[in-house]
Amino acid sequence: MKYLLPTVAGCASIALVGTLAVTAPSASAATTTPDVSKEALNVSKEGLNVPGARDSSDSTATAANQSATSNLPNIFKSQTALASAKVPDIVNASASASAASVNNVSAGLTSGGDDAAPSEGSAPSETEQAPAEGAETETPKSEDEDAKDSSDESKAEGEDDISGSVRQKTEDGVNIALISDVLDVPANNPSLVGFTFSESKSNIRIQVRTKQGSEWGNWDTLDEEQQEEAQNKGSEPMTVSNASAVQMRILGDSAPSEAELVLVDPKRDAGDAQAVAENDPVELDDQVSGDSAGAETAPEQSTEDSTDAEAASAENVDAAAGAMVTNQNYVPGSSTVDTVAKKVSKPKIGSRSSWGAKAYRGSPDYASGIKQAVVHHTSGSNSYSAADVPGIIRGIQAYHQQGRGWNDIGYNVVADKYGRLWHARGGDVSKAVIGAHVAGHNTGTFGISVLGTYNSAAPPKKTRDAVASAIAWKFSINGISKATKSNLVGHRDLGQTDCPGDAFYAKLGEMRSTVNSILKTGEQPSDSKDDDKSKDDDKKTEKPKAKTSIEKYAEKNKLGKALGKEYDVKGVSGAKAQKFEKGTVYWSKKTGAYHLSGAIASAYKGNAVTDLGLPTSAEKGGLKGGGVAQRFEKGSFYWSKNTGAHYTSGTIMKYWGDKGTVKGHLGYPKSDVVYKKGRGEQLFEGARLVWAEGYGTTEFSPKGSIAGGVSDDNAPGGATPPGDDSTDDKSPADSGEGSADDKDSKDDKSKDDSKKDDKSKDDKKKDDKSKDDKKKDDDKKKDKPSKAEKIAAQRASIIKDAKANLGVKYVWGGTSPKSGWDCSGYTQYVYGKNGIKLPRTTSQQRYAGKEISLKDAKAGDLIWIPGHIGIISETKGQMYDAGSTRTNTTKRSYSWMLNRGAKVIRVVG
C-alpha cells in the first residue's frame, strides 16, 4: 500500500531515551497519569463550517521533504530512500518480538560511483515519493496499468469514496476524507494530538491546526510513524501549547478504516517543577563548544567511502539482558579507524521517574553497542516553558503506548530548548538500548531528539551543546573516537522526512566539531566547573541575609522552596517577582506581595503583565461552576473549567460588571480583552462584546468574528441576527445608545413637533387655498409633484435637519438636541423630523431599510458599522453623525467606517 506521507518513524513523537549519565535526582517522582481520549473520526458537518476548515491543502507540503545530502553508505539508508534512488539491493531487517532477536541478513550491497554530496546546510530536494518501508518487491507496473488498477479498485470500493461534494473539498480541490469537530484542549498545560487508523485505500495527508484566542492557525501536516512494535498505523504526536482548541482533517480520496483522533492531556504534576530545578542544563566551555560559524571548514577524513566496510558481515552478540540480537548496522570505519577513545564523563540527565515515566512493556532489548547517533526534533509548539517539559515527555510516552501500542517512548534521550537532557526509553542508558526512532535503523543506533520544531530556526546553542555532550559520552563508551558525517546523522539521512528540520540539520557540522572537542579532552567541562563551584561554596561562610518581603510572604503562605532568584518584572516599573514550588510571588511598594498559581499564573505573561499590572488580591474561589478570579491593578483574571484563564479590563470589564459578571448572561470570558485604535473586543460565553470610542459597547453573537474589513456573518443573506430583531421587544439596546425602552427619549416632544409640523402644513394649505381663490382668473394649475420629486425633497429635508443640528453635544443614551444624543439617537431624531420612524439602536436601524452598494448611495442614506451609524451627506465621502464627546455632532469622513466593513442602508424611497 502506498502513502503520501513517509512511513519512517516521525521524530516528533519519539522522545529521546538514551540512558545517558543518569544521576539519581532528589526530586520526588511525578505520579500523574496522563488522560488519553480517542474519538472516532468522520466528516463533521459542524467541523466543515468552522472558518478556515476548507483552506488550501498547501501542495508544497504534501510530500515529505528529503535530504539533498547523500553522504551515507547505502547500508545506512532506509529501504524507502534506497528504493527512490533505485538501488538494486536493500537490507531487509525483520524483527521477531517473541524471540527478542533480529534476524541476521546478509549486508552484501553493491554501490555505483560515489555521488558528490551537497553542502551540509543545503535545502532538502524534492524527489519522487518512494514506496513505504516493508512493501513487497514486485515488478514495476506501467502508468497505464496503475491507472487501470486504481480505476478497478475505485469501482469495487466505491462505497468508501466520499468525494464529490464541493463542501468536502479544500479551496484548491483536494478531497477532505475526514474532519473533526473543534476540540477543546487543556488551558493550563501543553497537550498532544495524533491520528491512528488500520488501513487506507488511498494516499492520505494528516493535518492539524490550533486556535489561539479567536484566531485559527495554519494547517500543519504530520508525518506518519511506522515502527515494528506498533499495533496500528498512525501519525507522530503534535505538541499543542498556549492554544484553546484543535481541529484535525485527513485529505485523500477515501477515509482510512478505524480512524481515530487521539488527544493526550499529560496534566501538571506537583513534582514537575522540582524535577526541572534539580536537572541542571549542560554547560560547555567556549573552547570546547563548536563554533557554528567555522565548523567543518575543512573536509573530514572518514572511511565513509569504503566499500569494503559496507560489505561487512553482521555480528551476533549477547545483549546484557540475555536477548540475542543481530547487529546489521554498518560500523563506520570499523576496519581502519582508530577505535581507542578517551573515556568521556557522562552528562547530567533527568531520570525517568522524575518526569513520571510508566513502566516499559516487557523488557528492553539491547544491541552489542552503538555505531551511529541519529538526531531528531519533535512536532508542534516551541513555546513550552521549562516546567512544561516533564509533562510533554509523559504525553509522548502515553501516545506511543496507549495510542499506538508501542512498548515505550521511542527515543533514547530527549533534550529540551533549555539545555536539559532527559532519560526517555526504558533500559540502562549506558548500554545500547534498541529504540523506536527510525524504522529499520533502531538496532545499534542512539536516538536523541529535541522537543520542538526547527525548520526555520535551530535550537539554542546550549541545547545543541547538550545533544553533542550526550553523543560524545555514548561514542566514548562504544569506542568511537571521532564524529563524522556517517556516524552522526540527522533523521532525514535515513528516510523520507525533513527531520530534524532544515535549520537544525544545518548545525550538525558544528555539533560534530563539538563532539570531537569533547572526545579529545575525555571529560565534560561542566564536571570540572561543578567541582570548582562546590569548593568555592564550601569556603563561603556568609552571614544569613535578612528575608525580603517576597520571602516572608512565601513563608507565611507555605509556598515551598524557592526555584530561582528574585527578578525584575519586565514592563512594570519597580516590580519584583520570585518563583516558588507552589506559585510565583509578585511585589511592588504600591501593591505589596501576592502570588499567582495554576492556570492564572500560566496565562499571566506578555501583554497581560503590561495591561494589568501586578496582582492586588489573593485568588478567590467559589464562583459559578467552580470558577476562580483574581484582581490586578488594572483589571482581573477569571478562570473556569470550560473557558480557561482570561483577563478583562477597562470599559468592557465595566460593561460586563453591569451585566452581572459570571452570574449574568455573558458568563465567563473566553478570550483576553484587546484594545486597539479606539476599539475594544472580547469574547464571552454568551456574547462577543465590541466597544468603539464614543459609541459605547455592543453585544454580538459569540459565534463568528467582528473585525475591521469583516461583515457580520450572524445575519447571512440579509436575515436578522438572533436576538437582535427590530420587532423583538426583549432585544437589549446596544450599549452606549440608551435603554431598550428609551426612557430618556423625548417621544412626546417628537410627537408635539410632528403635530406642529402638521399644523404648519395645514396653515400653509390655507394660505395656498387663499391664494388660489384670489387667482380665479388663472387657468393654469400647477401639476402635482412626482414620486421622484417627493423623495428628492425628503432627502433634501433630511440633510437640512442633519446640518441644522451640528454642534449638539454627544450624550450617551440621549435622543434630543436639547439634552444631547448618541449616534442612533441623532439619526432617529433627524429621520423622525421627516416622517420616518427609526428603531432605537444601531443594530435595529441596520435592518430598517435595504442594503445597497456604496456606489449607489445618495445623500440622506444611512451608513452603518457594528456600534455606529451616520447619515451620508451631500459631500462625497462624508457623513453627518453624533460624533463623540470630543467632537460632538459633526460632519466628517466615513472612510474609517469603510475600513471596518461599513454597510449602506436605504430607508428613504
Side-chain angles (χ1 to χ4, degrees):
M1 142 184 355
K2 180 180 178 185
Y3 293 94
L4 184 62
L5 297 177
T7 57
V8 295
C11 356
S13 66
I14 304 169
L16 299 182
V17 167
T19 54
L20 291 179
V22 179
T23 56
S26 59
S28 58
T31 57
T32 297
T33 298
D35 285 338
V36 179
S37 58
K38 301 178 182 180
E39 177 174 316
L41 272 186
N42 50 33
V43 179
S44 165
K45 292 182 179 179
E46 291 184 2
L48 280 172
N49 289 329
V50 178
R54 295 185 293 275
D55 280 355
S56 171
S57 65
D58 186 12
S59 58
T60 59
T62 59
N65 291 329
Q66 299 179 31
S67 172
T69 304
S70 180
N71 52 34
L72 294 175
N74 288 336
I75 197 161
F76 269 129
K77 298 178 182 177
S78 68
Q79 298 175 35
T80 310
L82 288 172
S84 65
K86 298 182 181 179
V87 177
D89 299 318
I90 62 173
V91 175
N92 180 16
S94 60
S96 173
S98 61
S101 65
V102 179
N103 296 331
N104 187 8
V105 180
S106 173
L109 298 182
T110 59
S111 174
D114 294 335
D115 296 331
S119 62
E120 185 72 37
S122 59
S125 64
E126 295 181 0
T127 62
E128 186 178 15
Q129 181 70 36
E133 287 195 23
E136 294 183 2
T137 305
E138 58 183 58
T139 305
K141 297 181 181 179
S142 66
E143 291 183 4
D144 292 339
E145 289 174 323
D146 283 338
K148 184 176 184 301
D149 290 346
S150 176
S151 176
D152 291 343
E153 180 178 336
S154 176
K155 292 177 181 178
E157 303 296 335
E159 65 273 11
D160 293 330
D161 190 350
I162 65 167
S163 61
S165 170
V166 174
R167 286 175 53 76
Q168 287 179 199
K169 293 184 182 294
T170 63
E171 293 173 347
D172 54 342
V174 179
N175 193 62
I176 301 174
L178 299 169
I179 188 166
S180 73
D181 293 331
V182 175
L183 301 177
D184 292 335
V185 294
N188 60 345
N189 58 266
S191 57
L192 295 96
V193 62
F195 173 69
T196 64
F197 62 99
S198 178
E199 295 292 338
S200 178
K201 298 175 182 178
S202 68
N203 297 340
I204 62 169
R205 197 180 328 158
I206 307 163
Q207 295 190 327
V208 175
R209 62 174 180 160
T210 61
K211 186 178 184 181
Q212 294 182 321
S214 60
E215 299 297 325
W216 280 102
N218 295 327
W219 287 101
D220 293 324
T221 298
L222 301 185
D223 282 353
E224 183 186 340
E225 284 184 328
Q226 181 168 312
Q227 286 293 338
E228 294 83 355
E229 63 190 38
Q231 296 178 2
N232 55 19
K233 298 178 181 179
S235 73
E236 59 189 345
M238 174 179 170
T239 303
V240 179
S241 296
N242 301 318
S244 59
V246 297
Q247 189 178 26
M248 174 179 286
R249 70 182 184 185
I250 310 301
L251 305 182
D253 292 337
S254 62
S257 60
E258 299 182 32
E260 288 187 326
L261 183 152
V262 181
L263 186 63
V264 181
D265 178 6
K267 304 179 183 177
R268 283 203 181 275
D269 188 275
D272 288 350
Q274 190 172 353
V276 171
E278 296 186 0
N279 184 18
D280 294 333
V282 175
E283 295 182 2
L284 301 181
D285 288 327
D286 292 339
Q287 65 268 28
V288 175
S289 177
D291 183 359
S292 60
E296 290 194 338
T297 54
E300 291 184 338
Q301 290 296 113
S302 71
T303 60
E304 58 194 55
D305 297 328
S306 171
T307 56
D308 293 337
E310 288 186 25
S313 298
E315 179 184 4
N316 291 326
V317 295
D318 288 324
M324 285 296 297
V325 300
T326 299
N327 180 9
Q328 63 174 27
N329 286 298
Y330 168 73
V331 182
S334 60
S335 61
T336 58
V337 174
D338 178 12
T339 57
V340 178
K342 293 182 180 179
K343 184 178 180 181
V344 174
S345 59
K346 57 188 179 183
K348 294 183 178 180
I349 181 169
S351 68
R352 280 168 56 85
S353 63
S354 71
W355 56 263
K358 300 303 177 185
Y360 191 104
R361 291 179 174 176
S363 58
D365 292 328
Y366 295 82
S368 60
I370 69 119
K371 310 300 188 300
Q372 191 177 43
V374 184
V375 178
H376 303 259
H377 72 168
T378 65
S379 176
S381 173
N382 291 3
S383 60
Y384 56 86
S385 68
D388 290 335
V389 171
I392 293 174
I393 304 175
R394 277 198 304 275
I396 295 174
Q397 185 195 42
Y399 177 80
H400 281 166
Q401 289 187 323
Q402 299 181 51
R404 301 296 312 282
W406 293 12
N407 296 328
D408 201 348
I409 189 170
Y411 303 113
N412 297 113
V413 170
V414 171
D416 61 37
K417 67 181 181 180
Y418 302 98
R420 293 181 175 88
L421 298 171
W422 303 87
H423 182 187
R425 192 172 181 88
D428 186 344
V429 73
S430 65
K431 297 177 181 178
V433 178
I434 298 176
H437 56 98
V438 182
H441 294 272
N442 291 313
T443 302
T445 59
F446 171 65
I448 182 165
S449 184
V450 179
L451 298 180
T453 303
Y454 299 103
N455 290 312
S456 58
K461 186 67 168 63
K462 57 188 175 184
T463 300
R464 305 197 302 267
D465 287 347
V467 173
S469 71
I471 294 173
W473 175 65
K474 292 293 288 185
F475 276 10
S476 73
I477 292 175
N478 290 273
I480 302 173
S481 61
K482 184 176 182 181
T484 69
K485 291 181 179 180
S486 290
N487 61 23
L488 197 167
V489 300
H491 186 181
R492 65 172 60 182
D493 290 321
L494 303 178
Q496 282 185 294
T497 176
D498 66 351
C499 177
D502 291 343
F504 195 3
Y505 187 77
K507 294 294 184 181
L508 293 190
E510 167 210 280
M511 291 170 59
R512 294 186 190 104
S513 297
T514 303
V515 170
N516 290 332
S517 296
I518 297 173
L519 289 171
K520 287 179 182 178
T521 63
E523 291 184 358
Q524 299 282 8
S526 57
D527 293 341
S528 58
K529 281 184 178 181
D530 292 340
D531 291 341
D532 293 340
K533 183 177 183 298
S534 178
K535 292 177 182 178
D536 292 340
D537 290 341
D538 291 340
K539 294 178 181 179
K540 294 179 180 179
T541 55
E542 295 181 359
K543 295 180 180 179
K545 295 180 179 178
K547 291 183 179 180
T548 65
S549 298
I550 288 179
E551 291 171 333
K552 292 177 182 177
Y553 176 92
E555 183 177 5
K556 178 181 178 181
N557 290 273
K558 300 179 181 180
L559 299 182
K561 292 195 313 182
L563 300 181
K565 296 180 180 179
E566 188 176 286
Y567 59 92
D568 294 332
V569 179
K570 188 176 181 181
V572 182
S573 179
K576 301 285 185 181
Q578 189 171 8
K579 292 183 179 179
F580 293 83
E581 288 179 302
K582 298 180 181 179
T584 301
V585 180
Y586 292 86
W587 173 91
S588 73
K589 189 174 182 180
K590 178 181 177 182
T591 63
Y594 291 97
H595 77 280
L596 304 181
S597 61
I600 293 178
S602 299
Y604 183 64
K605 58 187 175 182
N607 291 337
V609 178
T610 52
D611 290 350
L612 296 181
L614 297 190
T616 58
S617 75
E619 186 177 278
K620 177 185 176 182
L623 302 186
K624 180 182 177 182
V628 299
Q630 191 161 7
R631 292 196 304 272
F632 289 74
E633 291 179 280
K634 305 173 189 176
S636 293
F637 254 107
Y638 283 81
W639 173 92
S640 76
K641 183 178 180 180
N642 293 331
T643 61
H646 298 286
Y647 69 89
T648 184
S649 64
T651 305
I652 287 180
M653 179 179 175
K654 184 179 184 303
Y655 179 92
W656 180 53
D658 292 341
K659 300 297 181 181
T661 64
V662 299
K663 296 180 180 179
H665 71 281
L666 295 174
Y668 284 92
K670 296 184 70 175
S671 72
D672 296 332
V673 67
V674 176
Y675 292 101
K676 188 177 181 181
K677 296 182 179 179
R679 184 177 183 275
E681 182 174 346
Q682 186 165 19
L683 177 64
F684 290 80
E685 290 179 297
R688 182 183 299 277
L689 299 186
V690 177
W691 168 84
E693 183 180 4
Y695 311 119
T697 304
T698 306
E699 293 185 24
F700 295 92
S701 166
K703 298 180 180 180
S705 176
I706 304 297
V710 178
S711 61
D712 183 0
D713 290 334
N714 294 316
T720 304
D724 198 21
D725 196 302
S726 60
T727 62
D728 185 356
D729 293 336
K730 296 181 180 179
S731 174
D734 293 336
S735 177
E737 303 169 332
S739 58
D741 57 6
D742 197 14
K743 295 178 181 179
D744 294 331
S745 65
K746 306 296 183 179
D747 286 344
D748 293 338
K749 183 178 183 300
S750 295
K751 292 177 181 178
D752 292 341
D753 290 341
S754 179
K755 290 178 180 179
K756 289 179 180 179
D757 291 342
D758 294 338
K759 185 176 183 302
S760 176
K761 291 178 181 178
D762 292 339
D763 292 340
K764 184 178 180 181
K765 287 180 180 179
K766 291 179 181 179
D767 293 339
D768 293 339
K769 187 174 183 302
S770 174
K771 292 179 181 178
D772 290 339
D773 291 339
K774 291 180 181 180
K775 296 181 179 180
K776 293 179 181 180
D777 296 335
D778 188 1
D779 295 329
K780 294 183 179 181
K781 296 181 179 179
K782 293 183 179 180
D783 295 332
K784 294 182 179 180
S786 66
K787 182 178 180 180
E789 289 173 333
K790 289 181 179 179
I791 292 174
Q794 191 175 33
R795 288 183 179 278
S797 179
I798 288 173
I799 294 300
K800 180 180 178 182
D801 290 326
K803 189 183 300 184
N805 289 284
L806 291 177
V808 172
K809 64 181 179 178
Y810 176 89
V811 175
W812 178 87
T815 57
S816 73
K818 183 175 294 186
S819 59
W821 44 41
D822 54 28
C823 61
S824 58
Y826 171 60
T827 54
Q828 185 185 47
Y829 175 85
V830 171
Y831 266 59
K833 288 280 290 182
N834 290 274
I836 301 174
K837 186 175 181 180
L838 290 179
R840 175 64 184 89
T841 68
T842 57
S843 57
Q844 292 170 334
Q845 291 179 9
R846 156 72 174 84
Y847 296 99
K850 65 178 180 179
E851 181 180 334
I852 62 172
S853 65
L854 181 64
K855 64 182 180 64
D856 295 329
K858 295 181 180 179
D861 289 332
L862 299 175
I863 184 165
W864 172 93
I865 62 170
H868 188 67
I869 198 165
I871 300 172
I872 293 179
S873 75
E874 72 280 8
T875 306
K876 184 176 181 180
Q878 294 193 330
M879 66 173 175
Y880 296 103
D881 71 342
S884 65
T885 53
R886 179 176 57 84
T887 65
N888 294 321
T889 306
T890 185
K891 181 181 180 181
R892 57 173 172 164
S893 170
Y894 54 68
S895 61
W896 63 277
M897 295 178 68
L898 298 180
N899 294 334
R900 299 185 184 180
K903 307 287 186 184
V904 177
I905 310 301
R906 175 157 292 171
V907 180
V908 178

